[in-house]
Each structure stands twice: as C-alpha cells, then as structure tokens.
Amino acid sequence: MRKGIIFDIKHFAMHDGPGIRTTVFFKGCPLSCQWCHNPESIDSKPQKITKQKILDGKTFEQTEIIGKEMKVQEVMTEILKDRIFFEQSGGGVTFSGGEPLLQFDFLKELLLECKKENLHTTLDTCGLTSSEAFESILDLIDLFLFDLKIINDDLHNKYIGTSNKTILKNLGILAKNRKEIIIRFPVIPEVTSTENNIKEMLKFLSNLPPLTEINLLPYHNIAAEKYKRLNIKYYEFQKPAQVILDSIQQIFIKAGYKVKIGG
Ligand code: SF4
C-alpha cells in the first residue's frame, strides 16, 4: 500500500462538510497564497520547527517535526475510529491540506478505501492538477469544497505564485459533471474582495452550469507566529470589516447563491 505525508488528522471536525467529520490534512501545496493560514502545509516534506517556551523565567526550546509518512491503512484506521459519529450525524471524511491532489495516487487509494467502507467523502481543494487526473477521481468524491480566489490571471500569479487557467478549467469540469460543489472564497481586503474581482467571479460562475453555495472565508492573522517559526516571508493583510463581509454576502445572495460566512 502507498504512503503519503500527512501533517494532521482532526477528529470531530464540524466545518469541513456535512455532519461530524474526520479531516485528513495532506502536506504539500502547489500554490503559495500570500495569506495562507497553514504555511506548514505548503512544503511537501516533513519540516523541523523550534518553539520557545518560557517557564519560571527561563527560555526552553522545543523542536517538533511537522508532517509524517503514513500508509493508507494507517490513515484508514484513524478514520474508521469515528465511523459511529459519521453514521449518527451524516458525516464522513474530508481530505484537506495543503493540497491533497498533489499526492494524487495516495489520495486515490484512500478514496477507494473510503468507498469500500461506504463513507461520505469531501475534497477540500485548490483545484490545481491535470484535468485528466482530476476527471479520473470525480466519482469517488461526494462533495467538493473548491477554492476560488482571483479570476484575473496576472493578479493570481502575483498573489498566489501560479496561473489559474487549469484551476478554472477544472472547476468547469466539475460543474459540467453536476458534482456537489461549495465555492470557498477567501476574503482578503484589497486583493480578493475588490469590486473587479467579485464582478469577474460572478461572470465566470454565471457561464458554468449553476452552482448554489459560496462560503466566505475572512482573512485572519493567527498564522503570523507560524511564519516566524518556519522562517517564511510573512505578508500582512487587514482583517475584513464586518461591513465588507456583509456587503459581499449580499452581492452573492442577490446573484442567487446561498452564502455562509465561515467554512
Ligand atoms: S491553496 Fe490553501 S494551503 Fe495552498 S497555499 Fe493557498 S491557502 Fe495555503
């Protein structure tokens, strides 16, 4: 059986799809969003970090490895511990990250195992992988949480470090296949929440077979400390004011979407 690099498994997750879920976080992401809340997920290899703790006036250093190699069966053992909660709540498994599609073969094997166990599966994805690979796993996934960030390709390159062409193409493939999709839109003031970007998003979405739900994910700066520990450049953005979130919510509601603030 295949192995992959996982950096966390969260039991009893409530915001990553319907019901009570087990969320498996894959390490490695092909994007570099300047506002990433999980910077420890971007590098695909395990990483050593040092934390400082002050006890009784003395400073102690504690090292920790983020990310560990796990076999498909080991991940399944963790997932299946929660089966009773899935059954009682209509929940299941969510694969998140990082980007699960970056470890495509490992993800596919996990999805096949989940389907053998008759579990509901959700993929939380930035959508960047070859369209052929993407199409080959559509039937194994019940719900997609699909990140849609910036429509203008130059701006996508500027803030995220890569083109969005394949991402948009893959979202089109999903919609045409009538898959259940929730769009996740990170609200980053002056970057994603501009009038232009929202207008372009609505236009892009209106050309797809209808999607019904959008979650607005407000930027927060709780990851600042993690950037320091990982020695990664930290970009500071403003948190969106409630009035901005409310107005974006209203724009999408008027366009016919069900909108939730938060994941
Ligand atoms: S897609 Fe998600 S995990 Fe990847 S860099 Fe962007 S915010 Fe971070």
Side-chain angles (χ1 to χ4, degrees):
M1 272 203 173
R2 278 179 201 282
K3 293 175 185 168
I5 306 289
I6 298 299
F7 78 91
D8 199 8
I9 296 180
K10 190 161 112 196
H11 297 270
F12 311 116
M14 300 297 293
H15 300 287
D16 299 328
I20 297 172
R21 312 196 67 81
T22 301
T23 302
V24 181
F25 292 89
F26 284 52
K27 195 153 160 43
C29 183
L31 305 190
S32 319
C33 307
Q34 289 183 4
W35 53 82
C36 183
H37 293 159
N38 285 331
E40 73 274 35
S41 71
I42 295 175
D43 192 315
S44 52
K45 295 183 291 301
Q47 281 167 292
K48 189 158 123 182
I49 57 159
T50 306
K51 288 180 182 170
Q52 289 197 334
K53 276 196 175 161
I54 300 175
L55 287 175
D56 206 16
K58 288 184 189 149
T59 306
F60 295 89
E61 289 200 334
Q62 196 181 26
T63 55
E64 192 186 307
I65 305 289
I66 299 175
K68 74 169 180 177
E69 199 175 67
M70 290 184 82
K71 291 182 190 150
V72 167
Q73 210 43 59
E74 288 172 313
V75 178
M76 287 308 295
T77 302
E78 283 301 309
I79 291 170
L80 291 170
K81 283 179 188 169
D82 299 331
R83 184 198 276 281
I84 185 146
F85 301 103
F86 305 155
E87 285 168 2
Q88 287 178 3
S89 69
V93 188
T94 299
F95 296 109
S96 183
E99 175 49 62
L101 291 167
L102 202 60
Q103 300 186 56
F104 184 81
D105 294 330
F106 179 59
L107 172 67
K108 190 168 180 179
E109 229 174 283
L110 278 167
L111 286 165
L112 285 165
E113 290 300 312
C114 288
K115 284 298 146 203
K116 270 191 217 158
E117 298 290 343
N118 211 15
L119 301 180
H120 180 279
T121 54
T122 293
L123 179 67
D124 179 9
T125 180
C126 72
L128 185 56
T129 193
S130 83
S131 297
E132 294 70 31
F134 197 56
E135 280 177 294
S136 75
I137 52 165
L138 295 191
D139 289 345
L140 299 173
I141 299 164
D142 298 305
L143 168 67
F144 287 81
L145 305 176
F146 197 104
D147 296 356
L148 191 57
K149 304 167 201 283
I150 300 176
I151 301 295
N152 178 289
D153 202 28
D154 292 336
L155 293 176
H156 199 277
N157 263 301
K158 176 177 168 188
Y159 289 107
I160 295 175
T162 179
S163 165
N164 63 10
K165 289 200 170 76
T166 307
I167 295 171
L168 298 182
K169 182 176 170 200
N170 285 340
L171 180 53
I173 290 172
L174 268 192
K176 280 186 196 115
N177 278 276
R178 307 275 168 191
K179 297 303 295 184
E180 200 185 330
I181 307 164
I182 297 176
I183 297 291
R184 289 190 145 185
F185 176 50
V187 181
I188 320 294
E190 293 172 34
V191 181
T192 64
S193 66
T194 61
E195 211 183 310
N196 239 1
N197 191 42
I198 291 176
K199 225 191 257 169
E200 288 178 343
M201 261 182 82
L202 285 170
K203 188 166 167 223
F204 174 78
L205 291 171
S206 71
N207 287 322
L208 300 180
L211 304 180
T212 52
E213 186 169 346
I214 295 183
N215 291 347
L216 307 182
L217 307 180
Y219 172 77
H220 57 72
N221 58 7
I222 55 165
E225 198 50 41
K226 292 190 203 172
Y227 278 83
K228 236 191 262 169
R229 280 189 215 128
L230 290 160
N231 207 14
I232 303 177
K233 182 172 167 50
Y234 176 63
Y235 296 87
E236 181 125 34
F237 297 93
Q238 287 167 15
K239 287 189 210 169
Q242 190 60 42
V243 62
I244 294 182
L245 294 170
D246 292 344
S247 95
I248 298 173
Q249 185 178 33
Q250 284 312 313
I251 293 171
F252 283 116
I253 288 174
K254 268 192 202 138
Y257 295 94
K258 181 176 157 200
V259 186
K260 192 167 99 185
I261 298 179

